[in-house]
């Protein structure tokens, strides 16, 4: 299975419109080659270089397996947005003014053999616990962003 973006290649920079330095809208995504037994998809976007724990920038679960693309600035159709680390629903793009160095943003797609019975108030911990033993495949797209923060 795969997750790609027409806006950037794997392990390349996330374009400015998809960061807080621009419009802060989610990038367009393309999904495919899902296992036949997929009942739902989960999309997690996290900054693994954030400390002390990875920062969740977007969380969407129960995405129908018929989804093959997500337009820029849109939620995957019929998916449920969970709570990101900012305590809100919705995409939170990389925000280079808050860090220095290179951060890696993992756009992770999980194929599940079930539909999750969770409310829209679910966070990554709750979604991850419900996904346990139901992941049949996964794919990752990594976007980079250079921080602009200076000083201590």
């Amino acid at each position: 299975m795969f997750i790609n973006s027409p806006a950037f290649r794997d392990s390349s920079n996330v374009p400015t419109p998809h960061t807080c330095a621009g419009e802060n809208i989610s990038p367009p995504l393309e999904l495919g080659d899902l296992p036949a037994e997929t009942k739902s998809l989960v999309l997690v976007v996290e900054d693994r270089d954030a400390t002390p724990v990875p920062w969740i920038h977007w969380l969407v679960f129960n995405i129908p397996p018929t989804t093959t693309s997500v337009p820029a600035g849109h939620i995957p159709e019929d998916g449920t947005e969970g709570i990101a680390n900012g305590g809100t629903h919705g995409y939170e793009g990389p925000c280079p003014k808050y860090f220095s160095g290179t951060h890696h943003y993992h756009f992770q797609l999980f194929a599940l053999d079930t539909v999750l019975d969770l409310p829209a108030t679910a966070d990554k911990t709750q979604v991850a616990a419900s996904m346990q033993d139901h992941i049949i495949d996964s794919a990752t797209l990594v976007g980079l962003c250079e921080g602009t923060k200076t000083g201590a």
Side-chain angles (χ1 to χ4, degrees), residues 63-75:
I63 302 166
T66 53
T67 304
T68 58
S69 66
V70 181
H74 288 82
I75 302 166

Side-chain angles (χ1 to χ4, degrees), residues 44-71:
V44 179
V45 180
E46 68 181 356
D47 175 0
R48 294 199 181 158
D49 299 306
T51 57
V53 295
W55 185 266
I56 306 304
H57 283 264
W58 201 17
L59 174 64
V60 187
F61 56 93
N62 292 339
I63 302 166
T66 53
T67 304
T68 58
S69 66
V70 181

